[in-house]
Amino acid sequence: MVVREATMENAAEVLEFVRAKAQFDRELGAFAGNLGTTEELIRRHLFGPRPFAFALLAGGPGPAVGFALYYFRYSSFQGRPSVWLDDLYVHPVVRRQGAGQLLMRRLAELAAAADCTHIAWVASASNAVGMGFYRKLGATVVHQAGDAVTLQIEPAGLLGTIGPAE
């Protein structure tokens, strides 16, 4: 299994992952809204002349089995960027086979290369499996409001927790 950066040709696949993640979140009770995104919006905003976000895909030959959607933020006080992980999703039938760890490792490598202070994201406290995965990675809870838990980890700490790529 490998992780690769999504390209314009993967816009439909990225959209399918966004839909799958939204359905997963609905089942947890963490998302009740309507999806407003389209393949065209993904093409424009992830793969256009000025990308606002980026996507990673995990898998072998053939369709990807997992994805991460992220973007960079900048702190004027720190004078350094950080990464916001907007979505991390692995198809249920292939969970616990390393795709999530590979996606997080690649994200940590990108964050370290960009001199980022940390990677942060929000997860649902009711997602026990996901929360266990994040704790295993070494993430810390920095805020909780109801079911929404904000976690973060330093790129170097994440790389040290996951270990070398295979």
Side-chain angles (χ1 to χ4, degrees):
M1 191 172 309
V2 297
V3 172
R4 59 188 164 82
E5 294 183 26
T7 65
M8 179 83 73
E9 291 74 31
N10 303 120
E13 193 170 17
V14 170
L15 177 59
E16 288 307 311
F17 275 111
V18 171
R19 287 178 176 152
K21 173 70 165 61
Q23 183 58 36
F24 178 80
D25 286 353
R26 277 188 189 101
E27 291 168 6
L28 285 175
F31 177 67
N34 295 315
L35 278 183
T37 194
T38 64
E39 188 175 335
E40 173 54 34
L41 289 173
I42 288 171
R43 286 181 193 278
R44 183 182 321 154
H45 297 298
L46 271 67
F47 308 112
R50 184 176 178 200
F52 292 96
F54 306 91
L56 299 172
L57 298 170
V65 299
F67 98 122
L69 191 133
Y70 67 96
Y71 56 90
F72 292 89
R73 303 185 309 174
Y74 186 77
S75 168
S76 60
F77 291 175
Q78 294 289 321
R80 293 173 60 198
S82 63
V83 168
W84 183 260
L85 174 61
D86 201 58
D87 291 315
L88 177 68
Y89 183 80
V90 175
H91 289 308
V93 296
V94 292
R95 289 186 185 154
R96 298 179 187 211
Q97 295 180 22
Q101 282 194 353
L102 286 173
L103 287 162
M104 292 300 288
R105 166 175 262 296
R106 181 65 184 134
L107 195 58
E109 290 169 347
L110 292 166
D115 194 30
C116 291
T117 57
H118 64 278
I119 302 166
W121 64 98
V122 171
S124 172
S126 59
N127 180 0
V129 173
M131 292 300 293
F133 172 71
Y134 300 136
R135 278 193 285 280
K136 182 179 171 186
L137 293 178
T140 57
V141 173
V142 294
H143 180 72
Q144 183 165 353
D147 191 55
V149 179
T150 303
L151 299 116
Q152 79 176 40
I153 191 166
E154 292 180 11
L158 179 55
L159 289 169
T161 301
I162 293 176
E166 297 177 5

